[in-house]
Amino acid sequence: MPVANRPFIPFARPTIDETMVSAVSDTLRSLWITSGPQVQAFEKALSVMHGDRPARVFTSATAALEVALLTIGVGPGDEVIMPAQTFFSCANAIRHTGATPVFVDVDPVTRNMDLTLARSAITPKTKVLMPTHFAGYPLDMDKLYALARETGLRVIEDAALAIGSKWQDKLIGSIGDIVSFSFHPNKNITTIEGGALIFSSEAEAKLSEAYRFHGISRLPDGTRDITVLGGKYNLPDVNARLGILQLQRLDEFIAKRHVLVEHYFDRLTGSNLTLPVRGDKGHSWNFFAPLLPLDEMSISRKALMDLLQQKGIGTGISYEAIHLTSLYRQLGYSEGDFPHAEKIGHNTLTLPLFPTLQIEEVDYVCDTLLELIHQHKR
Ligand SMILES: *Cc1c(COP(=O)(O)O)cnc(C)c1O
């Protein structure tokens, strides 16, 4: 067993270079620190990158999702269809608008929302399809938008993990309806906390500004009016300045992720782990999460994660099935409703993956993981 006399390897880590540190310092020194010129410049850069579609930034992707829903008029009595295997904030954002999340199972291979199941979950109350590009693996956009066109539903793509991902050579965000990105430190680029929406309509982008800032709009006489019930979700300039520089390194970050993931595949193919679907160059690989062979193991996932932690390796769970959380069971969901989401939620283990991870560290993670699984065979 390799020894752990090495720096701890977390499962995710942002890349912050000295240029970013000094640019953020400059923004602080400018004394214009909340939303201002840097936010405008970051939005411009995001827009240019995504085919000149309107872009707006927010304090998080969670806030962005909620604003997107409010902007298109989702509220009490409406239903929003989303996968049972994604981050909790999607469901919470829907609930905060007064609407109801309707969960559907995911495809066991891609772990993306099963669009056939989504179609059968549509009712007269359904307003929106809200799928996630799981781990950065792009959903089938042709099928998604064919369903949306046929049913007249709006789409909000949760691309929290997928900035830089491509569907058939087109960047996620450059096509489609409304697309949401996250800039949390674990994502492909970071603004510390932050998120963005890319819109298909300039009018909706404009309206989202009101939802992002107290519902305020400016009147010709210089006074302010409140037109909608907005919140306080504006991104500070300090964060936006970081975002501008992060965006410039996105392609390089994703290229590093590809190299590391190739090595994971080389090392783990043929083991008793179920590896994620490989995808093509369009996959941005925000995380790498095989399924553990728990049936063949004498210890639990938690025990394995603790042993890995002792060996200096951080791991995560992406994600627990949402419908089995206490809050969402109250909507009437229970075990057995979504077998694929439940299997993934139960067996998934997120391994270290970030641009500055070393190949040699991937080897150490694989050696340690395979050894521990072997040692604890049932
Ligand atoms: C991280 C994440 C979010 C939320 O992003 P925040 O910026 O942290 O609010 C939403 N969906 C998915 C799939 C995520 O991984």
Side-chain angles (χ1 to χ4, degrees):
M1 175 68 65
V3 279
N5 57 351
R6 53 167 65 237
F8 186 79
I9 307 171
F11 75 86
R13 172 181 272 161
T15 306
I16 306 287
D17 62 34
E18 285 309 312
T19 311
M20 294 168 191
V21 172
S22 48
V24 166
S25 305
D26 288 347
T27 305
L28 285 169
R29 286 192 197 97
S30 79
L31 302 185
W32 192 290
I33 54 178
T34 189
S35 311
Q38 300 300 334
V39 160
Q40 281 182 3
F42 187 32
E43 288 177 341
K44 175 79 186 163
L46 285 165
S47 171
V48 167
M49 173 177 166
H50 297 101
D52 289 320
R53 305 212 306 157
R56 295 294 184 278
V57 294
F58 302 86
T59 42
S60 68
T62 304
L65 289 170
E66 191 177 329
V67 168
L69 290 160
L70 292 170
T71 298
I72 60 176
V74 171
D78 296 334
E79 292 177 353
V80 178
I81 296 178
M82 58 166 284
Q85 239 301 314
T86 184
F87 190 53
F88 311 130
S89 67
C90 301
N92 290 350
I94 296 165
R95 286 301 287 283
H96 278 299
T97 69
T100 305
V102 173
F103 302 128
V104 297
D105 209 350
V106 295
D107 179 284
V109 176
T110 65
R111 305 186 197 174
N112 278 326
M113 183 163 87
D114 183 322
L115 293 173
T116 307
L117 295 176
R119 174 188 293 270
S120 29
I122 294 171
T123 75
K125 292 179 175 173
T126 309
K127 289 283 158 61
V128 184
L129 300 169
M130 200 164 101
T132 294
H133 298 285
F134 193 84
Y137 183 93
L139 197 81
D140 186 323
M141 300 291 276
D142 293 344
K143 286 203 182 121
L144 173 64
Y145 282 96
L147 178 60
R149 267 192 306 276
E150 187 190 318
T151 54
L153 295 176
R154 296 296 301 263
V155 177
I156 299 173
E157 296 171 38
D158 171 22
L161 305 164
I163 190 164
S165 287
K166 287 178 185 153
W167 166 251
Q168 295 175 348
D169 292 331
K170 291 191 196 76
L171 275 177
I172 293 299
S174 69
I175 48 173
D177 194 351
I178 300 181
V179 182
S180 170
F181 296 127
S182 171
F183 308 128
H184 176 276
N186 290 0
K187 310 302 162 91
N188 291 344
I189 59 168
T190 189
T191 59
I192 306 173
E193 297 286 354
L197 293 174
I198 310 290
F199 290 90
S200 46
S201 142
E202 187 60 49
E204 287 179 353
K206 199 80 202 138
L207 181 56
S208 80
E209 292 177 22
Y211 280 107
R212 146 176 103 173
F213 197 70
H214 313 294
I216 289 174
S217 47
R218 299 203 170 261
L219 297 176
D221 70 356
T223 63
R224 290 167 294 181
D225 191 16
I226 297 178
T227 49
V228 294
L229 181 57
K232 180 70 165 67
Y233 304 130
N234 58 300
L235 190 75
D237 257 21
V238 171
N239 305 68
R241 184 73 190 112
L242 177 58
I244 292 166
L245 293 170
Q246 287 270 319
L247 199 57
Q248 292 170 3
R249 293 192 62 186
L250 174 63
D251 290 348
E252 175 203 336
F253 291 164
I254 292 176
K256 292 241 177 75
R257 290 177 177 278
H258 276 262
V259 171
L260 295 161
V261 164
E262 281 308 305
H263 201 61
Y264 269 123
F265 275 109
D266 287 350
R267 289 298 321 274
L268 299 177
T269 300
S271 71
N272 54 1
L273 295 160
T274 305
L275 301 184
V277 66
R278 203 151 184 160
D280 61 17
K281 287 282 170 214
H283 192 336
S284 64
W285 284 109
N286 180 261
F287 60 77
F288 183 81
L291 305 187
L292 294 171
L294 290 177
D295 293 347
E296 302 168 29
M297 290 166 54
S298 61
I299 56 169
S300 67
R301 174 173 60 185
K302 174 72 169 76
L304 178 69
M305 290 173 79
D306 289 346
L307 290 169
L308 286 164
Q309 178 85 17
Q310 285 165 26
K311 300 278 179 193
I313 299 169
T315 53
I317 297 174
S318 323
Y319 304 94
E320 299 82 352
I322 298 186
H323 66 291
L324 298 183
T325 59
S326 298
L327 184 71
Y328 291 103
R329 278 176 189 267
Q330 290 169 20
L331 298 181
Y333 294 104
S334 59
E335 276 87 359
D337 286 345
F338 307 119
H340 299 313
E342 291 169 27
K343 168 95 198 277
I344 296 164
H346 195 243
N347 291 62
T348 190
L349 186 72
T350 305
L351 300 180
L353 181 62
F354 47 88
T356 54
L357 184 70
Q358 303 299 306
I359 289 284
E360 173 273 326
E361 291 176 310
V362 174
D363 278 325
Y364 174 69
V365 170
C366 294
D367 288 342
T368 310
L369 176 65
L370 293 174
E371 177 78 34
L372 284 172
I373 291 174
H374 181 73
Q375 267 177 20
H376 298 278
K377 267 198 308 230
R378 190 185 285 275

